[in-house]
Amino acid sequence: MASMQCCSAPQACNARGAPLRALSRRQVVLTNARAVRAAAGSNGAGTATMTTLNPQLLEVLQHVANGMLTPGDGAVQLSALVGQSKLSGPDSAVTSKAEFPEVVWGEHKTASQILNSLHRIAAQQGMAAATRVSPQVAEEVMALDPSVTFQEPARMLILKSATTKQQKLPGSVALICAGTADASVVEECRVMLSAAGCYAFKIAESGVMGMHRIVQNLDAVKAADVVICITGMDGGLASVVAGMVEVPVIALPTSTGYGAAFSGVAPMLAALNSSAPGVTVVNIDSGFGASMAAWRILKNASRIRQAAMGK
């Protein structure tokens, strides 16, 4: 039997030993296009046709075929367009959305717009909230759907799914408030924490001029897992509290104050320049932002605790 002819390296061979014919760039692109169509069609509805594909995807392939994009740049853009999970094997990492939260910014929106968003979000995560909602718009929303509740001091609408059981997170959050002028910001923070399954307690009228109230409740403050300091004016509260506790401290500057407070800019800068290390600062009047920073801390602490317990 005649011996099989071998191809000289580095030329590639097929199973019979014959040299493989080099593919043109156009043939490579067409082959990749067929693979992409097959991957897109494997997501439940059968093989996709060219007319059902994303036109941006086809444009990227055309640019590679015309030499306007290198194959490497084209692969990056393809991954961004169709998702890495559709182009790779089942073991590829899939980026998932955070469990919670997504909320609706209610200001300048109509009742129907807010309600549609609340229903969409509640269907995904079991609970939905809208912030900065005026009482008039809130009444219109509740007239459309009586299951929506309005927290007037917080200016928030809450919609909870009847089939979803709320997860309670271990730990607590201390809300140290400088004054009643910040009530709406404090309540936005407290209501959002409660809706997210976090326990929060308030220590009111405890600004720099009310430090004796913090001292009187210092054991409770130290026992909290997160402390949020809500203050306007000079914004010195977070620095003082951060020097007294070891837990994470979140500064929530408010727009309360006279002219030189610049509608919250002065307390925000004071918190950013705090000499107490590790103070987290959120946006002015952002009770929602502060509550979500605390929620992330408690959520990850819960995961670590469960991992340590072997759950």
Side-chain angles (χ1 to χ4, degrees):
M1 181 182 297
S3 59
M4 183 179 294
Q5 295 293 328
C6 297
C7 301
S8 59
Q11 188 176 17
C13 303
N14 61 16
R16 298 180 178 179
L20 292 176
R21 179 170 54 88
L23 297 176
S24 67
R25 171 175 291 186
R26 179 176 178 82
Q27 289 173 315
V28 171
V29 171
L30 290 175
T31 302
N32 290 340
R34 294 189 189 100
V36 171
R37 288 200 301 272
S42 64
N43 198 25
T47 304
T49 62
M50 291 292 287
T51 57
T52 62
L53 288 176
N54 188 333
Q56 292 179 309
L57 184 148
L58 296 175
E59 183 180 3
V60 171
L61 292 175
Q62 189 63 47
H63 286 172
V64 175
N66 295 338
M68 298 173 64
L69 279 177
T70 65
D73 291 340
V76 172
Q77 294 194 25
L78 286 175
S79 298
L81 287 172
V82 302
Q84 186 63 34
S85 61
K86 293 183 179 179
L87 295 178
S88 59
D91 294 333
S92 62
V94 179
T95 302
S96 60
K97 183 182 177 295
E99 296 177 14
F100 183 83
E102 180 183 357
V103 302
V104 182
W105 175 263
E107 197 169 3
H108 308 306
K109 290 183 180 178
T110 65
S112 60
Q113 288 175 331
I114 294 174
L115 185 59
N116 289 337
S117 297
L118 289 175
H119 284 159
R120 175 183 58 81
I121 296 171
Q124 295 175 349
Q125 61 189 27
M127 192 281 295
T131 62
R132 306 300 171 92
V133 181
S134 67
Q136 294 80 6
V137 174
E139 290 180 3
E140 295 176 16
V141 173
M142 291 186 291
L144 295 172
D145 188 347
S147 63
V148 179
T149 59
F150 182 51
Q151 304 289 335
E152 187 169 358
R155 298 178 292 172
M156 288 182 61
L157 288 170
I158 303 292
L159 175 62
K160 295 183 179 180
S161 173
T163 59
T164 302
K165 185 178 180 181
Q166 185 183 46
Q167 180 187 11
K168 298 292 184 180
L169 291 176
S172 62
V173 181
L175 305 178
I176 302 180
C177 323
T180 55
D182 306 320
S184 63
V185 178
V186 175
E187 282 302 296
E188 180 179 286
C189 185
R190 186 193 66 78
V191 171
M192 197 66 232
L193 284 168
S194 177
C198 306
Y199 170 71
F201 63 92
K202 293 191 298 183
I203 302 177
E205 298 291 341
S206 301
V208 174
M209 293 301 294
M211 285 301 299
H212 58 285
R213 296 185 181 91
I214 299 178
V215 174
Q216 291 170 357
N217 296 279
L218 189 56
D219 289 340
V221 175
K222 287 184 175 182
D225 296 274
V226 184
V227 178
I228 300 178
C229 297
I230 305 112
T231 180
M233 299 288 189
D234 61 334
L237 180 61
S239 294
V240 174
V241 173
M244 302 168 68
V245 301
E246 297 180 351
V247 298
V249 174
I250 301 170
L252 171 50
T254 69
S255 54
T256 303
Y258 296 104
F262 296 110
S263 300
V265 174
M268 181 184 67
L269 293 177
L272 286 171
N273 286 282
S274 173
S275 59
V279 173
T280 299
V281 186
V282 299
N283 209 346
I284 300 168
D285 290 338
S286 182
F288 167 73
S291 66
M292 289 301 97
W295 173 81
R296 288 179 181 272
I297 294 171
L298 294 184
K299 182 70 174 177
N300 282 280
S302 176
R303 288 172 179 163
I304 295 172
R305 187 180 293 111
Q306 290 177 358
M309 296 174 63
K311 294 184 178 181

